Amino acid sequence: MAAVERPLSPAQQGLRESALYDRLTIAEIQRAAREGIYDIRGFGAKRRLPHFDDLLVLGASISRYPLEGYRERCATDVTLGTRFASKPLELRIPITIAGMSFGALSAPAKEALGRGATEAGTSTTTGDGGMTAEEREHSETLVYQLLPSRYGMNPDDLRRADAVEVVVGQGAKPGGGGMLLGHKISDRVAEMRDLPKGIDQRSASRHPDWTGPDDLEIKLQELREITDWEKPIFVKVGATRTYYDVQLAVKAGADVIVVDGMQGGTAATQDVFIEHVGIPTLPAVKLAVDALQELGMHRKVQLVVSGGIRTGADVAKALALGADAVSIGVAALIALGDNAPELDNEYRAIGSAAGFYDDWQAGRDPAGISTQEDELAARFDPVLGGRRLANYLRVLTLEAQTLARACGKSHVHNMEPEDLVAVTLEAALMTGVPLAGMQRGLVDELADRVASRIAAP
């Protein structure tokens, strides 16, 4: 039997792929030429960016004394909104659920977020489009988001919420408005948002009734009057000019600042926004803490950090850099069942695969999470989803506690930059944390040298 000759692979033929025009870039150019419109997707940035993985935790040995995990307590509680509100949020863990709207997510998915957050002892957030009855019923602590769109805005719901979050920007799209495509504008979504059914919805990129920090201060005063000065007022910004944005939000009267790095997710926006606008979460934490410390408001105005938080190690490192709490979105959806491997065949049937699915804007999610189709949404069990989310939140908390104990800390908030080292020069310069093996103080000296060279004529 004659041997079958196999064609040579590109590598065997000596062919070389372009670093600038790799296959994904070529495919996107061809797609743009074919369709004539920018790519829209959900999820978050997929490019490699400096992140918490570029930091390591320094466990105790002789110079530091660790805590015994089975006998010595390491607390995890956090209070958010102590500046002006008469009823700040008292949470058992420093991990909250970010705002994800009903519209972007199905009603059962929103219910599951509330169930999971309640079981774990933390808060969840409404997102754009208003508050659903299921979400309020199953959320012990619910934060009501006020966005530029004002979709679903209801003063009575503001009073029924436990806190209010004024969204100025989002990490995946700072400077850009929200997006909900027409096939997800169901009868119920249309009624809540006062929109025509089946028509694409694009939110404004800025609030219609203020154009700067002085107007924001007036808006926060209005919200305090509506809620009888009881509810903490959060201000959320996408990480860009973080230092100045945080200081202006504090000046305007915010109780809590939420800084969302560019690794944060979105239900739908332009791919070019997701991959090319904003700054990574890692430097954003440092800038926000520096801004609060400059004003003497660090720990007085609480800082919540979001954008790519996945593990208890991420949580511990964010707290060590100076955050009071973190917020999760994409990771929460994955915990609910998004991209589940048992649905791989169904993901492949719609042109994707488990672990790759990012078409949250399309409304065809086999998991029943990012959809408004009744048949798909009915597949999702909010009780089971809530239990899975609560389990995940417990694991994050236990991991953060484990690392804190290893550093000799009796509370996760006692972690500090001294407990960290960097494994890349970029992370060291962005955070002020020394490179592993480098003496403390040399990073500042190196940063000064780099800055002086940049400033030199």
Side-chain angles (χ1 to χ4, degrees):
M1 183 175 179
V4 177
E5 291 189 12
R6 295 182 178 178
L8 296 176
S9 70
Q12 290 171 327
Q13 296 176 56
L15 302 179
R16 180 182 176 191
E17 184 174 3
S18 169
L20 190 62
Y21 289 92
D22 60 16
R23 277 167 282 185
L24 286 175
T25 302
I26 291 172
E28 173 54 21
I29 292 172
Q30 292 167 339
R31 186 210 61 79
R34 183 173 62 251
E35 299 176 8
I37 190 171
Y38 46 67
D39 187 29
I40 297 173
R41 66 172 177 88
F43 216 84
K46 297 187 176 183
R47 63 190 296 181
R48 174 73 174 94
L49 293 163
H51 198 50
F52 294 107
D53 286 345
D54 297 321
L55 302 177
L56 297 176
V57 176
L58 295 175
S61 52
I62 295 178
S63 58
R64 294 288 182 96
Y65 194 75
L67 297 186
E68 174 54 60
Y70 294 100
R71 294 187 291 109
E72 295 178 290
R73 185 171 183 268
C74 179
T76 62
D77 59 293
V78 62
T79 303
L80 301 178
T82 57
R83 187 182 184 190
F84 294 121
S86 62
K87 294 183 179 180
L89 304 188
E90 304 283 352
L91 307 180
R92 296 205 304 269
I93 62 174
I95 309 158
T96 66
I97 306 300
M100 294 175 279
S101 74
F102 169 63
L105 305 185
S106 65
K110 290 294 290 178
E111 177 182 333
L113 293 175
R115 287 179 178 271
T118 296
E119 187 174 336
T122 190
S123 65
T124 187
T125 311
T126 62
D128 203 355
M131 179 192 294
T132 67
E134 302 97 319
E135 187 175 27
R136 178 64 279 187
E137 179 183 354
H138 296 286
S139 302
E140 180 178 341
T141 306
L142 182 60
V143 180
Y144 187 98
Q145 277 195 336
L146 182 72
L147 293 100
S149 70
R150 300 293 196 269
Y151 291 137
M153 167 62 182
N154 184 332
D156 291 331
D157 287 341
L158 285 174
R159 299 184 186 97
R160 294 173 60 215
D162 301 289
V164 179
E165 182 172 288
V166 179
V167 178
V168 180
Q170 186 176 334
K173 49 190 175 187
M179 189 178 294
L180 190 65
L181 301 188
H183 41 257
K184 296 181 79 170
I185 309 288
S186 64
D187 287 328
R188 185 179 179 189
V189 172
E191 181 180 0
M192 286 183 62
R193 300 191 182 209
D194 194 22
L195 290 169
K197 179 182 177 182
I199 303 298
D200 289 355
Q201 170 255 297
R202 290 173 179 263
S203 302
S205 60
R206 63 176 188 261
H207 287 260
D209 49 357
W210 56 274
T211 57
D214 292 336
D215 292 336
L216 175 60
E217 183 174 0
I218 295 171
K219 176 56 62 180
L220 298 191
Q221 286 288 113
E222 291 176 355
L223 293 172
R224 293 197 188 281
E225 291 174 5
I226 291 172
T227 58
D228 295 326
W229 290 78
E230 291 181 347
K231 322 293 184 181
I233 307 294
F234 295 37
V235 174
K236 179 177 181 179
V237 296
T240 54
R241 297 170 175 85
T242 306
Y243 183 87
Y244 300 106
D245 289 343
V246 168
Q247 289 205 335
L248 289 171
V250 171
K251 176 183 179 296
D255 294 297
V256 179
I257 307 294
V258 182
V259 174
D260 193 19
M262 71 173 290
Q263 289 101 319
T266 178
T269 200
Q270 301 96 321
D271 180 79
V272 70
F273 247 118
I274 297 173
E275 300 289 355
H276 298 284
V277 180
I279 65 172
T281 305
L282 195 63
V285 184
K286 179 67 162 57
L287 290 168
V289 171
D290 286 349
L292 291 170
Q293 289 177 338
E294 174 69 22
L295 296 174
M297 298 300 288
H298 188 221
R299 307 300 187 193
K300 297 177 183 178
V301 171
Q302 286 75 51
L303 173 64
V304 178
V305 170
S306 59
I309 303 295
R310 310 148 301 168
T311 67
D314 292 343
V315 176
K317 293 169 188 178
L319 299 182
L321 288 173
D324 295 278
V326 301
S327 191
I328 62 172
V330 171
L333 298 188
I334 293 172
L336 293 185
D338 181 77
N339 272 288
E342 56 266 30
L343 298 173
D344 186 58
N345 288 337
E346 295 189 59
Y347 283 121
R348 290 184 183 277
I350 57 175
S352 187
F356 295 84
Y357 183 66
D358 59 14
D359 289 329
W360 293 349
Q361 82 289 347
R364 300 184 295 165
D365 181 8
I369 295 171
S370 58
T371 183
Q372 293 302 315
E373 292 186 20
D374 292 338
E375 183 178 344
L376 292 175
R379 296 181 177 185
F380 182 77
D381 182 348
V383 176
L384 177 59
R387 188 178 308 133
R388 286 174 171 167
L389 176 60
N391 285 340
Y392 173 59
L393 291 169
R394 289 191 192 98
V395 170
L396 293 185
T397 305
L398 288 169
E399 289 177 339
Q401 281 178 302
T402 297
L403 295 177
R405 282 194 179 99
C407 295
K409 311 295 185 178
S410 60
H411 198 295
V412 291
H413 284 128
N414 292 340
M415 293 194 71
E416 55 189 329
E418 290 281 332
D419 298 316
L420 301 174
V421 291
V423 292
T424 66
L425 181 60
E426 290 87 350
L429 292 172
M430 287 177 176
T431 62
V433 169
L435 281 167
M438 179 182 286
Q439 292 182 4
R440 293 188 180 272
L442 292 182
V443 172
D444 292 336
E445 181 181 340
L446 181 59
D448 290 341
R449 289 181 181 180
V450 172
S452 64
R453 288 186 179 182
I454 293 173

